[in-house]
Amino acid sequence: MHAHHIDRPADLDVVRESYDRVADNYAHMVVTTGVGDIRSHPWLKASIDAFADTVSELGPVLDVGCGPGTVTAYLAERGLDVSGVDLSPRMIENARRLHPQCRFSVASATDLDLGEASLGGVLGWWSLFNLPRDVLPQVLALFARALKPGGHFITATHVGDEDAVRTEAYGGAALRGTTHKWRPEQLVDLIEQAGLRPVAELRLPADEQSGPALVVMAKRPA
């Protein structure tokens, strides 16, 4: 029994299978083009660097929805005690292949067994938009509970009002999934309702690769 039950998304299996299909394309894209790699985007890198500086002395860090492990490995290089989890087994295979020095496991954000106040930091970096609108608040509450007092959460996501159905991604690979977009004030409100205190917010305009985006960092009050 999990101490913190979270509803299972109705499309969980579809999303897992979709990311398994696109995992190789995505990993290849990150390695060859730098798209999806924070080191090619100075403002996203700065956000992750600030997060790393803040949580470096606070204990273990969990990268939820780590994909091929790019950010997990970057944080490990920074000296953090970090591990990554992803819903897609194929994403985790790529992460282990590309970053054999790091720890990765297969798990959904909705099925994590996290101890109370066990983590110094949690990332939901370009991953939580896959969660249905009624499920995201439950996951945020889990993260808040798992953080140590003073621990930090960081998330990056797509900005908007709509639920955008996707049919392909990453070089034309077939993908079935929904991107649940949030207005900045809506997402910040959800984070606050989960029991976290926002400490920084970065809004990014649309560019040639994606629409407008948002980064939020928040802490569990001491």
Side-chain angles (χ1 to χ4, degrees):
M1 286 290 290
H2 290 295
H4 193 103
H5 172 76
I6 295 175
D7 294 329
R8 190 181 197 272
D11 64 350
L12 185 75
D13 293 333
V14 169
V15 172
R16 179 193 292 113
E17 291 160 8
S18 288
Y19 277 99
D20 275 348
R21 277 197 304 274
V22 304
D24 291 355
N25 274 27
Y26 182 71
H28 180 74
M29 178 188 76
V30 172
V31 170
T32 59
T33 71
V35 173
D37 186 340
I38 57 167
R39 285 166 292 203
S40 67
H41 194 301
W43 291 106
L44 295 180
K45 180 179 178 293
S47 300
I48 291 293
D49 282 337
F51 172 80
D53 290 342
T54 303
V55 304
S56 61
E57 304 298 324
L58 296 177
V61 172
L62 185 64
D63 184 2
V64 180
C66 64
T70 312
V71 172
T72 316
Y74 180 79
L75 292 174
E77 289 169 11
R78 291 281 315 258
L80 273 65
D81 175 15
V82 60
S83 57
V85 299
D86 199 276
L87 174 66
S88 160
R90 188 62 182 168
M91 283 286 191
I92 292 299
E93 287 178 25
N94 277 288
R96 289 170 174 160
R97 173 179 59 84
L98 293 168
H99 311 290
Q101 75 282 13
C102 295
R103 305 188 309 276
F104 298 102
S105 57
V106 178
S108 166
T110 59
D111 196 36
L112 294 171
D113 195 5
L114 304 179
E116 168 88 32
S118 60
L119 297 171
V122 177
L123 301 95
W125 192 252
W126 298 109
S127 59
L128 303 182
F129 58 79
N130 291 299
L131 294 172
R133 294 188 183 277
D134 59 332
V135 175
L136 178 60
Q138 301 174 51
V139 170
L140 292 175
L142 171 70
F143 292 168
R145 177 181 170 277
L147 283 171
K148 298 176 179 181
H152 279 65
F153 163 68
I154 190 170
T155 187
T157 195
H158 303 283
V159 169
D161 292 307
E162 74 273 23
D163 294 333
V165 177
R166 295 191 293 169
T167 57
E168 67 174 41
Y170 317 128
L175 182 145
R176 290 170 61 202
T178 303
T179 297
H180 303 278
K181 299 182 182 181
W182 295 90
R183 287 280 163 208
E185 58 276 9
Q186 291 176 314
L187 183 60
V188 168
D189 187 49
L190 287 184
I191 290 169
E192 289 178 325
Q193 288 177 30
L196 300 173
R197 189 171 80 233
V199 297
E201 182 180 322
L202 173 65
R203 303 190 188 195
L204 298 167
D207 60 23
E208 61 274 8
Q209 271 135 23
S210 75
L214 171 71
V215 177
V216 180
M217 187 157 75
K219 70 181 291 187
R220 180 174 178 174

